[in-house]
Amino acid sequence: MDFKGCKRKWRLMVGICVVLGLALSAEAKSSCKLKAKFNLNGYKNVEKKTVVVGGMFPVHKRLASSDINTTSIPVSSACDGFNFRTFRWAQTMLFAIDEINLRSDLLPETDLGYVIYDSCFTISKAVEGTLTYLTGQDEAVPNYRCGTGSPLAALVGAGASDLSIATARILGLYYFPQVSYASSCSVLQSKFQFPTFLRTIPSDDHQSQAMAQLVLRFGWTWVGTIAADDDYGKYGIKKFMEVVEEAGVCISFSETLPKVRSPDDIHRIVQTVIRSTANIIVVFSSDVDLSPLLDELLQYNVTNRTWIASEAWITSALISRHPGVQQVLSGTLGFGLRRADIPNLQDHLLGIDPYLDPLTEEFWETAFNCTLSYSRALLNARAQAAQDGGNATASRAAAAGVPAGMCTGKESLMSLNNTYTDVSQLRLTYSVYKAVYAVANALHNMESCTPGEGPFEKGGCANISNFEPWQLMYYLKNVKFNVPHTGETVYFNDGDVDGWYDILNWQRSPSGEISYIKIGHYNSTAPPESRMTINNASILWNNAALKMPRSVCSETCQPGTRKGIRQGEPVCCFDCIPCADGEISNTSDARACIQCPSEYWSNANRDTCVPKTIEFLDFAEPLGITLIAIAAFGALVTIAVAVVFLIHINTPMVKVNDALLSFLLLFSLVVTFLCSIVFLGEPKPWSCMTSQVALALGFALCLSCIMGKSALLMLRARAIKSVKSAAKSAAKAAAKAEQDPDAPPPPPAPAPAAPKTYEDSLKPGHQKAMALVCTLIQAVACTVWLCLLPPRPNKNMTAQNIKIILECDPGNVVFISCIFAYDILLALLAFVFAFTARKLEDHFSEGKSITFGMLVFFIVWISFVPAYLSTRGKFMVAVQIFAILASSFGLLACIFLPKCYVLLVKPERNTDEQMRPRQKGKDNSAVGTSLSLASSTASEANGTIVSTVSVD
């Protein structure tokens, strides 16, 4: 391979490329224009100036509509909708530059020039102005500055935030300084995206925080938001919503104002406002974007709303001087920039020359509704004459004199009643003033630099007559100065200034116009708790009651209730749900109820825990007194029966009933009557043990005695049944023999037997021993119960919510079940024995008496179970006492009433004859009775009863 040949070819190709590059470069230099014509209005004064400062102001509100025709050269759109307020801002920049040029202490050797363009409140015009300013001629050539002359210092502008974002992206490419007076959007804080952007207006982060704090201060939790469809509105309202929603405020609606007039969108927004229950509406928008909405609000007469205004329209005459605005926006609260008075500014505003430039000429013609052009005035006059039906003579007369609608140029600006001449609320105007002075002071510091002590490489300084934008940027970032006439110290903290706002309230003045009344201020550098200061008494609200409005989706939940969130709705929309029993809420808007301590309960309003009512069956209450009286009566009656038996102890009736066993039974009934009294009163350890044990032992002794009596009766009944069965068998055999004569004769009957003697197998001693043993078993069981798990007082807090029931806890269910099951077993045995002996014949039927007594006992206690389980508190004790008393009275009446009747009323029956067996039956057979079996043949000496059973 020929490497040398390849090398030569390579060098030849490089040479050709260099030549072509130089040719193209020369061609580019010779024709560096782009084929685009910009239509820009503004002011320019650059001749013989040391440094040129740029400016950009939205003097017009919008672009004029034009017919786009691609068959001709495209022309940049014109602007319409003259804005007197922003025109004043542009004039303020001119005034500030003139003032600086006249000063000897600021830039004494430098004369400032200016280039000011109208951005028309649109991004495209702002970009046109920026490119034109950078390239130095009307046809923008990116990356080239084709103009000559003084260096460019910085751009003051460009008005709205979205305009500054567009211009800052372009200026940042060349590291060209930009100082904004009205662009407060928080996104401009990013130095990564906008490295050369600075501003003399606070960031909307501060304003959004201030708006949120205002809403929270007045307790508004239900607000609507409206924002312009640009970066200013979107970022401002987004930050506001983040702060208030974190604090619990809900957004009723969030609407966006269109940048291009759209009647349908405006109508929809107004209908949303009307339908919403939110009385507070936060608006983050410029006055130009808000104006169409205001027209629609007035048309629908939307009143009784309080509007929270951003700084872009709170002091705008376009809104506040709109006809009829008082009925809709009166009472508006908003945040205005720091206000200042600028001496001599009004003289400058009133002294402008209408013929100086096209922009001023347009201002004059718009302000006075006339024209400065004679030819236009003449054409207008002729057209008006023709419209009015005038003749040629009238047209010539109009042409001969001064045409109607012709400006003289001598009209008095002082007579104007518009925002241009109003210098009472210089806020954004003051921000423009500070921006111009910031650039001037940075240039002054650059001019004052001492070589060798400068900030640049090797202590170098920049040449004021020929410097690079990045050099001025250094001085701008570090500038610190006092504003003339106000003394305010201005410096940039990473391109931003501190957030200071006057809080304004729109109030109707005596003349019927809106006045901006300062009611407080907001200082972002103060501690959080003292950043906002408001005089509430000085606020005039926009409602019929002239008092602070409420704006909540749901009214405040009072103490005693809690918030119940509605599904699918914001958290501020809720139902107030009363706290459950035993729970309270002692604050408003409680999210949950608080459970009362175990010994407390909620009051009727559910806002306080009160001690539960202590309940027990007291001695002193009527029910307790009644039960005591009944128990005492039962005990006295039982004692009276014992006395009657004692008096008649030697009578047959008492003897045959085993007096000692009867006295034991009466004693046990006295015990059961009196133990019921122990159930009354506040439960104590001793009373709990005494009542339960006395009841168990009392019934055990009672039922044991009854069982002993009924057991004897049962044995006697069985003996009688055997005798009767034998007699019946003999009688049947005899009857059969008589009926069959042919039958062989029966065997001879044995000789009549002598009467048989029958001795009871159950002796009285056995009965007493049975009663003693059965009772002793219960006593042992109760002793074990008391030793291991005795009954004890207990606070029952679950039976009834509002009461603490003092009751006796049995200790162990197994023990108490076994003990009372034992009593039930004794009762069942006594009943079975008595029921077996119920047919024994005597004068008072003791078997039947015991049977009925036990039936009453069972009926009472079977009824007791459901009654006891269905009651609570002291009535449970009352039911238990009633069961004890009823069963005791039943046993007393059924067993002893027949005997007492005989002893007291029928003493003639209390004889040995009456105790003997009665004759009954067709066969005249003697039938033994319970008493005849224990006849006088008993031997009292040896304690045995010998009964004779006679059978014929």
Side-chain angles (χ1 to χ4, degrees), residues 22 83 214 247 338 439 522 640 675 743 754 761 768 862 931:
L22 292 174
N83 192 328
L214 179 70
R338 192 189 296 266
V439 176
Y522 178 86
C675 78
S761 61
K768 298 180 184 66
I862 290 173
L931 292 180

Side-chain angles (χ1 to χ4, degrees), residues 53-57 89-101 103 106-107 112-114 116 153-157 179-181 199-200 428-444 476 479 481 483-484 490 492:
V53 180
M56 196 172 295
F57 299 89
W89 299 349
Q91 289 297 322
T92 301
M93 180 174 176
L94 296 177
F95 167 77
I97 290 177
D98 290 342
E99 188 178 67
I100 293 169
N101 287 334
R103 292 182 57 169
L106 185 62
L107 293 174
L112 294 181
Y114 51 83
I116 299 176
L155 177 68
V156 176
V179 183
S180 177
Y181 52 86
R199 52 187 164 189
T200 55
L428 274 170
T429 302
Y430 178 50
S431 184
V432 174
Y433 189 72
K434 290 189 289 185
V436 176
Y437 264 90
V439 176
N441 277 273
L443 289 170
H444 180 79
L476 268 172
V479 71
F481 65 97
V483 182
V490 176
F492 296 108

Side-chain angles (χ1 to χ4, degrees), residues 378-501:
L378 184 59
L379 290 174
N380 292 338
R382 287 175 178 175
Q384 185 64 37
Q387 185 178 356
D388 295 340
N391 51 28
T393 304
S395 297
R396 286 193 297 271
V402 177
M406 180 70 183
C407 295
T408 64
K410 302 296 182 182
E411 288 82 5
S412 174
L413 290 174
M414 197 65 185
S415 62
L416 291 176
N417 184 23
N418 63 19
T419 186
Y420 173 74
T421 57
D422 184 8
V423 294
S424 61
Q425 295 290 330
L426 300 181
R427 298 180 186 276
L428 274 170
T429 302
Y430 178 50
S431 184
V432 174
Y433 189 72
K434 290 189 289 185
V436 176
Y437 264 90
V439 176
N441 277 273
L443 289 170
H444 180 79
N445 294 338
M446 178 189 292
E447 183 183 61
S448 304
C449 177
T450 302
E453 299 178 2
F456 306 117
E457 187 177 359
K458 299 180 181 180
C461 296
N463 184 358
I464 190 66
S465 300
N466 185 19
F467 61 87
E468 296 295 330
W470 59 269
Q471 293 175 318
L472 178 61
M473 188 64 201
Y474 167 82
Y475 287 101
L476 268 172
K477 288 196 300 184
N478 296 282
V479 71
K480 186 174 184 179
F481 65 97
N482 293 327
V483 182
H485 314 302
T486 65
E488 179 189 355
T489 301
V490 176
Y491 60 93
F492 296 108
N493 182 10
D494 202 17
D496 280 323
V497 294
D498 296 332
W500 174 280
Y501 299 95

Side-chain angles (χ1 to χ4, degrees), residues 737 740-748:
D740 190 5
D742 298 332

Side-chain angles (χ1 to χ4, degrees), residues 875-899:
F875 296 104
M876 294 181 69
V877 178
V879 169
Q880 189 173 7
I881 294 175
F882 177 80
I884 296 170
L885 297 177
S887 59
S888 300
F889 274 114
L891 293 174
L892 179 66
C894 291
I895 296 175
F896 291 98
L897 185 61
K899 298 179 178 62

Side-chain angles (χ1 to χ4, degrees), residues 236-401:
I237 210 67
K238 176 185 177 184
K239 181 65 176 180
F240 166 80
M241 293 170 64
E242 288 176 355
V243 176
V244 296
E245 286 178 343
E246 186 177 351
V249 177
C250 296
I251 304 302
S252 173
F253 62 88
S254 184
E255 294 290 343
T256 302
L257 289 171
K259 294 296 289 184
V260 179
R261 186 180 292 267
S262 173
D264 292 340
D265 290 341
I266 295 297
H267 178 75
R268 176 182 51 79
I269 294 172
V270 171
Q271 292 304 313
T272 301
V273 172
I274 293 173
R275 289 192 301 268
S276 174
T277 57
N279 293 323
I280 307 301
I281 302 173
V282 178
V283 181
F284 237 105
S285 168
S286 67
D287 52 354
V288 176
D289 293 329
L290 181 62
S291 183
L293 178 65
L294 178 58
D295 293 334
E296 193 80 2
L297 291 171
L298 288 170
Q299 181 178 347
Y300 283 90
N301 193 28
V302 180
T303 57
N304 291 330
R305 302 291 197 281
T306 297
W307 301 78
I308 309 299
S310 64
E311 42 75 28
W313 67 273
I314 185 62
T315 56
S316 170
L318 177 66
I319 303 298
S320 63
R321 295 189 180 182
H322 194 291
V325 72
Q326 291 89 348
Q327 61 184 350
V328 175
L329 296 184
S330 181
T332 293
L333 298 176
F335 294 85
L337 301 176
R338 192 189 296 266
R339 177 187 170 277
D341 292 322
I342 304 177
N344 303 319
L345 175 60
Q346 188 173 38
D347 295 338
H348 171 81
L349 297 175
L350 298 177
I352 62 173
D353 183 358
Y355 302 101
L356 185 62
D357 55 77
L359 197 59
T360 308
E361 182 179 341
E362 183 183 359
F363 158 73
W364 199 276
E365 292 176 346
T366 305
F368 295 104
N369 194 22
C370 61
T371 178
L372 290 168
S373 172
Y374 178 83
S375 59
R376 285 201 306 270
L378 184 59
L379 290 174
N380 292 338
R382 287 175 178 175
Q384 185 64 37
Q387 185 178 356
D388 295 340
N391 51 28
T393 304
S395 297
R396 286 193 297 271

